[in-house]
């Protein structure tokens, strides 16, 4: 089953600030452990060597012998140390550049930008460079009778530090380039630009527009590239981050200044807005929905890319779009809800054109959940719009020979009718009328099968009304079905009686059997079908 928990912000483990602190502590602890191990190894064997001398083992004797520098020896040693530190710098640059390039190629070119903007990366690479320069200069400073002990000791310290941080730094880099971490950082930067959080202070609105739109595209790039490589986990994480960004944005939206919603010159040059008619751009500006539109456009791109290779990700996109619509409903943002509805319709059209029954089935499920939430918020007119879309796409699927999609649309409309009646929504009567218009005369065997599913859904709803004591509403359904052939009505009645398992016998995301009726409603089947006077009695 899809995630049904309330919309949430980024999970705390992926917050860039918290993760950055944790990574730095791990880095420091790793360096400390390596330093302790090196000191222990050197100390034990140096003490054994001291024990063989006349000095004996003592702290003062160890320090005196260790720092008894010889100019001629140091000149040779410092030259070798300079080569070592240069080699360390070369290894670090080679490994890091390869790893960053691979990650950028696989997921997003923005990874390289994030890497070189990270303070820890810059600090450590800078430390390697400074250490290299220092050792080279010190090696040239030892000559004749001049012995710069302080400089030599400092060089030993920086060489030791360079060697100690090398392995922990590689671990830091690999952790930094973890796709989930990168995705969280991109999502956070998007919110910072869109909601004008602290790092965005001082930026112009146009610059914030540019950062927010570009960051949304980068999240989509990660998702699309992951889909191409069949990496479902990373693709789903990117989709979830897009969802969280838009949900949190909708919560902040009422507090944003009016100039944020203006589609300025930079946005008009954006790839997603440049292809739109000027009237459409003006409408988006009037609706104050350019950010939602941009984000949902990215989700639509992921949906289209994942339709064939990773349909689970396409379902995640539908779940994300539902969450965005529900967040808009919570704030009574009718224009943002309408935008989500448009993209749901686009998903359905895309799935039907591809003949993908499973994806259409999943999209309809999420679409219905959105309609239920909208009704709970009292936005009945928008719920009716969704019901009309259900009818339209159900009929389109019917004409395309995708009968199961028509049946699914009918089932979901029947559920909406039940919910509207239970919550006393004013749209109930019109919802029922729309539901009764889904079926039409069948012309082929495939369409005939699809209409059987519609009639079953209508029969299910009739038993609901009878259970609620609304015989008059059940009669409306009877009037719509009374022209059906007795043979079809008998077979529908029999099939509904025979189904006893609530759960479908195959693995589905809904996990329910459309033909199942709970015992109290099944007991009313005979009452309903008794109204059809030309039917023979049921054989138990």
């Amino acid at each position: 089953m899809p995630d049904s928990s309330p919309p949430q912000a980024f999970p705390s483990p992926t917050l860039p600030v918290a993760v950055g602190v944790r990574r730095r502590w791990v880095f420091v602890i790793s360096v400390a452990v390596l330093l302790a191990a090196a000191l222990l190894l050197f100390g034990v064997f140096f003490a054994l060597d001291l024990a063989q001398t006349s000095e004996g083992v003592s702290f003062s004797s160890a320090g005196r012998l260790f720092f008894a520098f010889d100019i001629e020896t140091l000149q040779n040693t410092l030259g070798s140390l300079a080569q070592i530190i240069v080699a360390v710098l070369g290894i670090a640059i080679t490994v890091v550049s390869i790893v960053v390039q691979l990650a950028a190629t696989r997921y997003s070119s923005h990874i390289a930008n994030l890497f070189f903007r990270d303070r820890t990366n810059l600090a450590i690479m800078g430390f390697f460079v400074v250490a290299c320069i220092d050792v080279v200069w010190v090696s040239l400073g030892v000559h004749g009778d001049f012995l710069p002990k302080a400089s030599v000791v400092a060089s030993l310290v920086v060489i030791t530090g360079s060697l100690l941080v090398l392995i922990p730094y590689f671990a830091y880099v690999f952790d930094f380039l973890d796709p989930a971490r990168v995705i969280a950082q991109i999502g956070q930067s998007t919110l910072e630009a869109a909601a004008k959080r602290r790092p965005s202070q001082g930026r112009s609105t146009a610059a914030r527009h540019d950062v927010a739109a570009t960051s949304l595209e980068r999240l989509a790039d990660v998702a699309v590239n992951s889909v191409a490589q069949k990496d479902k986990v990373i693709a789903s994480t990117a989709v979830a981050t897009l969802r969280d960004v838009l949900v949190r944005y909708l919560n902040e939206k009422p507090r944003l200044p009016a100039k944020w919603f203006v589609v300025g010159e930079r946005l008009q040059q954006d790839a997603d807005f440049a292809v739109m008619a000027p009237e459409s751009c003006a409408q988006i500006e009037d609706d104050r929905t350019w950010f939602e539109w941009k984000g949902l456009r990215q989700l639509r791109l992921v949906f289209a890319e994942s339709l064939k290779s990773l349909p689970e990700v396409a379902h995640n996109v539908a779940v994300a779009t539902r969450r965005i619509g529900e967040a808009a409903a919570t704030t009574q943002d009718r224009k943002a809800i309408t935008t989500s509805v448009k993209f749901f319709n686009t998903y359905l059209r895309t799935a039907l054109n591809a003949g993908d029954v499973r994806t259409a089935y999943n999209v309809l499920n999420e679409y219905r959940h959105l309609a239920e939430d909208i009704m709970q918020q009292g936005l009945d007119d928008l719920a009716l719009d969704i019901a009309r879309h259900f009818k339209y796409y159900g009929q389109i699927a019917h004409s395309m020979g995708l009968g199961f999609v028509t049946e699914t649309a009918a089932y979901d409309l029947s559920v909406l009718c039940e919910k509207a009646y239970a919550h006393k929504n004013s749209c109930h009567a019109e919802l029922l009328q729309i539901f009764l218009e889904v079926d039409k005369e069948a012309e082929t065997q495939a369409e005939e099968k699809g209409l059987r599913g519609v009639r079953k859904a209508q029969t299910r709803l009739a038993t609901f009304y009878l259970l609620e004591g609304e015989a008059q509403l059940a009669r409306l359904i009877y009037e719509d079905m009374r022209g059906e052939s007795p043979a079809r009505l008998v077979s529908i009645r029999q099939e509904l009686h025979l189904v006893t398992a609530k759960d479908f016998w195959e693995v589905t995301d809904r996990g329910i059997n459309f033909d199942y009726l709970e015992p109290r409603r099944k007991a009313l089947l005979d009452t309903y079908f008794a109204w059809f006077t030309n039917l023979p009695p049921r054989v138990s």
Side-chain angles (χ1 to χ4, degrees):
M1 294 289 292
D3 176 23
S4 59
S5 58
Q8 309 227 341
F10 298 118
S12 57
T14 60
L15 280 170
V17 175
V19 171
V21 172
R22 183 182 66 82
R23 281 201 301 251
R24 289 178 177 84
W25 271 110
V26 170
F27 182 86
V28 171
I29 292 172
S30 300
V31 171
V33 169
L34 289 174
L35 178 60
L39 288 173
L40 179 63
L41 179 65
F42 174 78
V44 168
F45 286 98
F46 195 69
L48 289 176
D49 291 333
L50 282 176
Q52 307 300 319
T53 67
S54 58
E55 294 280 345
V57 180
S58 68
F59 183 80
S60 60
S61 61
R64 189 166 52 252
L65 289 172
F66 186 78
F67 291 104
F69 298 134
D70 175 74
I71 292 180
E72 184 177 351
T73 303
L74 274 178
Q75 286 177 329
N76 297 327
T77 303
L78 287 173
S80 300
L81 291 179
Q83 294 176 6
I84 291 173
I85 195 65
V86 171
V88 169
L89 176 60
I91 292 172
I93 291 176
T94 301
V95 172
V96 168
S97 61
I98 291 174
V99 173
V100 171
Q101 180 61 33
L102 288 174
T105 301
R106 182 169 185 179
Y107 296 111
S108 171
S109 59
H110 185 57
I111 287 178
N113 294 333
L114 288 176
F115 180 85
F116 288 109
R117 284 165 47 192
D118 182 68
R119 294 180 180 178
T120 302
N121 287 315
L122 294 177
I124 294 178
M125 295 301 291
F127 175 70
F128 285 146
V129 172
V130 170
C132 181
I133 294 173
D134 178 74
V135 174
V136 170
W137 286 356
V138 170
S139 67
L140 296 175
V142 179
H143 57 81
D145 295 330
F146 180 66
L147 180 60
K149 287 188 176 182
S151 298
V152 171
V153 172
S155 297
L156 288 175
V157 171
V158 296
I159 291 173
T160 302
S162 300
L163 294 172
L164 284 174
V165 302
L166 187 61
I167 300 302
Y169 177 57
F170 287 163
Y172 176 87
V173 169
F174 281 103
D175 186 61
F176 178 87
L177 295 176
D178 178 73
R181 312 268 190 233
V182 172
I183 290 169
Q185 291 186 44
I186 299 174
Q188 193 71 14
S189 66
T190 310
L191 276 175
E192 288 169 355
K196 201 173 184 180
R197 295 166 184 271
R198 184 179 55 81
S200 296
Q201 295 289 347
R203 284 181 180 165
S204 67
T205 301
R208 289 172 53 216
H209 283 174
D210 190 42
V211 172
T214 303
S215 297
L216 290 172
E217 291 175 351
R218 286 166 177 164
L219 287 172
D221 286 343
V222 174
V224 170
N225 291 336
S226 300
V227 167
Q229 300 179 49
K230 298 188 181 300
D231 193 337
K232 182 176 72 174
V233 174
I234 301 304
S236 299
T237 302
V239 168
T241 302
L242 272 167
R243 175 201 68 200
D244 289 343
V245 165
L246 289 171
V247 168
R248 291 178 63 178
Y249 166 81
L250 285 165
N251 292 331
E252 298 282 346
K253 183 178 177 180
R255 292 179 285 277
L256 294 178
K259 62 182 179 180
W260 167 257
F261 304 102
V262 177
V263 181
E265 184 178 351
R266 288 199 188 183
L267 284 180
Q268 290 173 6
Q269 295 173 357
D270 182 89
D272 287 318
F273 294 104
V275 297
M276 298 177 64
E279 296 80 6
S280 298
C281 279
Q283 185 62 54
I284 289 175
E285 182 173 301
D286 290 342
D287 294 342
R288 300 160 64 96
T289 58
W290 76 261
F291 189 80
E292 298 93 309
W293 184 273
K294 178 71 178 180
L296 286 166
R297 287 270 293 194
Q298 308 316 303
L299 286 173
R300 183 189 67 82
L301 175 63
V302 178
F303 182 89
E305 290 293 327
S306 60
L307 202 57
K308 293 182 179 179
S309 55
L310 277 178
E312 295 87 354
V313 176
H315 188 188
N316 287 338
V317 170
V319 174
T321 306
R322 169 167 67 96
R323 293 294 191 208
I324 294 164
E326 289 172 348
T330 301
T331 58
Q332 298 287 302
D333 191 337
R334 298 173 65 89
K335 300 300 184 181
I337 297 171
T338 301
T339 302
S340 297
V341 167
K342 286 182 179 180
F343 279 92
F344 260 119
N345 294 337
T346 304
Y347 302 155
L348 282 174
R349 174 67 72 178
T350 304
L352 291 178
N353 289 343
D356 194 331
V357 173
R358 175 187 174 185
T359 299
Y361 168 84
N362 290 330
V363 170
L364 284 168
N365 186 43
E366 302 306 324
Y367 205 179
R368 190 198 78 237
H369 281 302
L370 175 60
E372 291 177 12
D373 187 79
I374 288 173
M375 286 196 299
Q376 288 180 0
Q377 300 293 338
L379 303 172
D380 287 5
D381 57 326
L382 296 180
L384 284 172
D385 287 340
I386 294 177
R388 294 186 188 98
H389 298 318
F390 269 68
K391 182 185 77 170
Y392 173 77
Y393 288 106
Q395 291 175 343
I396 290 293
H398 183 218
S399 65
M400 296 174 70
L402 303 176
F404 184 68
V405 177
T406 306
E407 179 180 351
T408 303
Y411 171 82
D412 287 331
L413 278 171
S414 72
V415 172
L416 289 177
C417 288
E418 292 180 17
K419 298 288 185 181
Y421 177 86
H423 294 98
K424 309 301 181 185
N425 288 89
S426 60
C427 62
H428 170 259
E430 196 166 348
L431 268 179
L432 177 58
Q433 186 59 40
I434 292 171
F435 176 44
L436 295 178
E437 294 171 356
V438 172
D439 59 302
K440 63 180 181 180
E441 195 66 30
E443 297 178 0
T444 67
Q445 186 175 359
E447 292 179 353
E448 172 76 13
K449 185 177 181 181
L451 285 184
R452 285 178 59 81
V454 175
R455 291 309 192 190
K456 285 181 180 180
Q458 291 173 342
T459 303
R460 292 181 80 265
L461 183 59
T463 63
F464 170 80
Y465 288 139
L466 289 173
L467 187 64
E468 296 293 330
E470 295 285 358
Q472 184 177 0
L473 294 175
R475 280 279 180 182
L476 293 177
I477 299 175
Y478 160 74
E479 293 294 336
D480 190 71
M481 290 180 62
R482 65 187 301 180
E484 291 289 342
S485 66
R488 176 190 279 187
L489 293 173
V490 168
S491 65
I492 289 174
R493 179 182 64 184
Q494 189 67 16
E495 289 171 13
L496 291 174
H497 270 292
L498 290 176
V499 175
T500 57
K502 181 178 181 179
D503 296 330
F504 193 60
W505 53 83
E506 296 175 4
V507 176
T508 66
D509 292 304
R510 297 192 188 211
I512 59 174
N513 192 338
F514 285 170
D515 292 346
Y516 172 78
L517 287 170
E518 61 183 61
R520 291 189 305 163
R521 291 175 65 172
K522 186 179 289 187
L524 295 170
L525 281 174
D526 289 336
T527 301
Y528 175 68
F529 281 103
W531 294 345
F532 299 89
T533 55
N534 56 347
L535 296 188
R538 182 174 66 89
V539 178
S540 301

